Amino acid sequence: MGILNKIAGFFINAFIFAWDFGLFILNILTPSLKPGHVVPAHAAGHNLTWPEYVAPKEGDSRSACPMLNALANHGILPRDGKNISFKELNTKVRQTFNFAPSFCFFVPKFSADFLNRSYWTGRFDLAELSLHNAIEHDASLTRQDAALVPDQGKPDPGLVEDLLKEATGKTSDGSPLLTIPDLSRALSKRRIDARRTNKAYTESLFHNIFGSSNSSTMLTIFGGRITDLTPMLMEERFAENWEPRVLSRFGLTMAKFNGTVLPVEFGVKKNASKN
């Protein structure tokens, strides 16, 4: 069964990446969505109006991902963060953030696999996605390492402040903006600090790429805008009148996303100064 599962997994991934590349090409050939019309008409957040934000209560389940937690905090996913189907996660993430369908299948399917559950029938609580060294990893830009703070469901305000202070770019109206070099520099400092403070620190190319991927959503979905990122990273809520900055008709594909992820990761310096 192990060999058969590996063979099946190979063909599923080959299909996903072919599908994703097809969507990437379609995005080039078709007109973009108009600002103000990114979230579908039948979905939460349409017309730039998001469901009420409610901070998580004692006993609610939250993950290491601010974006997923925001979905629960706004009631787009169950507010308690529990008993969520992987298929529901796919749909809600796609509608809310305008990731491509291929992207939104790949990540929940990967999550189901590392939790040893079926993507098609399985359910999970948000906290389960914080399984160490699956998707969750050391040297996060918004969380202390799991060896130091086992509960990964809450952001660390100090780390978030450090990240937001790295912004050197400016929007057309002069508002602060995170750039690719800013994120590379922030990741450099964070990894060095994590190696120094966490005796159980682990690092691999896979987790470094995942860290750069998580960071790159700030540049793609949020456009690097500090005014949008501050409430998302500090409180895990959507800014008023927010919508995804990705206007591609078929959403943000993995092929397109890698054009941001790889420059961020390649810019990380292992021996960067803390100051």
Side-chain angles (χ1 to χ4, degrees):
M1 283 298 293
I3 295 177
L4 291 177
N5 286 338
K6 289 182 179 179
I7 293 173
F10 171 81
F11 282 106
I12 289 172
N13 286 335
F15 168 77
I16 293 171
F17 290 121
W19 178 23
D20 186 79
F21 186 73
L23 294 175
F24 171 76
I25 298 299
L26 285 174
N27 278 334
I28 295 173
L29 299 176
T30 55
S32 296
L33 299 168
K34 295 180 180 179
H37 299 274
V38 178
V39 177
H42 58 281
H46 180 65
N47 285 334
L48 310 183
T49 302
W50 295 97
E52 180 186 8
Y53 168 83
V54 178
K57 301 179 178 63
E58 186 71 27
D60 287 348
S61 185
R62 293 294 184 266
S63 74
C65 175
M67 294 165 67
L68 295 186
N69 292 346
L71 293 179
N73 292 340
H74 284 273
I76 299 168
L77 288 175
R79 288 194 182 272
D80 65 359
K82 298 179 180 179
N83 198 35
I84 303 166
S85 74
F86 294 101
K87 293 170 68 176
E88 179 184 14
L89 181 66
N90 176 332
T91 300
K92 299 302 184 182
V93 168
R94 177 165 44 84
Q95 292 174 342
T96 303
F97 298 110
N98 198 27
F99 283 102
S102 49
F103 209 144
C104 291
F105 176 76
F106 178 79
V107 176
K109 176 66 167 59
F110 178 80
S111 301
D113 289 346
F114 75 67
L115 292 176
N116 293 315
R117 293 174 199 169
S118 165
Y119 167 83
W120 306 104
T121 61
R123 291 180 172 271
F124 66 96
D125 296 347
L126 285 176
E128 294 181 281
L129 299 180
S130 298
L131 180 67
H132 186 53
N133 279 345
I135 290 177
E136 184 277 332
H137 54 84
D138 287 334
S140 163
L141 292 176
T142 66
R143 265 75 173 163
Q144 294 291 345
D145 293 350
L148 306 178
V149 181
D151 181 5
Q152 292 289 293
K154 297 179 181 179
D156 182 286
L159 290 179
V160 174
E161 287 178 3
D162 288 344
L163 167 63
L164 298 178
K165 288 176 183 175
E166 293 290 345
T168 61
K170 297 289 184 182
T171 64
S172 58
D173 64 1
S175 299
L177 192 75
L178 278 172
T179 67
I180 286 176
D182 294 339
L183 278 181
S184 296
R185 186 170 58 254
L187 285 167
S188 300
K189 293 177 180 179
R190 180 72 184 101
R191 290 177 189 173
I192 289 170
D193 187 62
R195 291 187 199 108
R196 179 177 59 82
T197 58
N198 177 11
K199 294 181 180 179
Y201 180 80
T202 59
E203 183 178 331
S204 69
L205 177 61
F206 172 79
H207 291 117
N208 284 346
I209 293 294
F210 221 104
S212 290
S213 297
N214 292 339
S215 304
S216 293
T217 60
M218 302 180 203
L219 302 181
T220 52
I221 303 301
F222 291 88
R225 289 163 172 78
I226 298 301
T227 53
D228 293 340
L229 288 168
T230 298
M232 174 55 62
L233 300 182
M234 283 290 193
E235 302 173 71
E236 301 184 333
R237 68 172 176 87
F238 297 114
E240 188 175 353
N241 297 324
W242 180 83
E243 73 170 353
R245 299 291 177 174
V246 173
L247 302 180
S248 301
R249 186 162 296 274
F250 295 93
L252 179 63
T253 62
M254 291 182 283
K256 176 70 172 179
F257 191 52
N258 285 335
T260 302
V261 174
L262 296 180
V264 167
E265 180 58 32
F266 291 156
V268 175
K269 295 179 174 59
K270 291 188 176 181
N271 298 312
S273 170
K274 176 69 175 139
N275 296 316

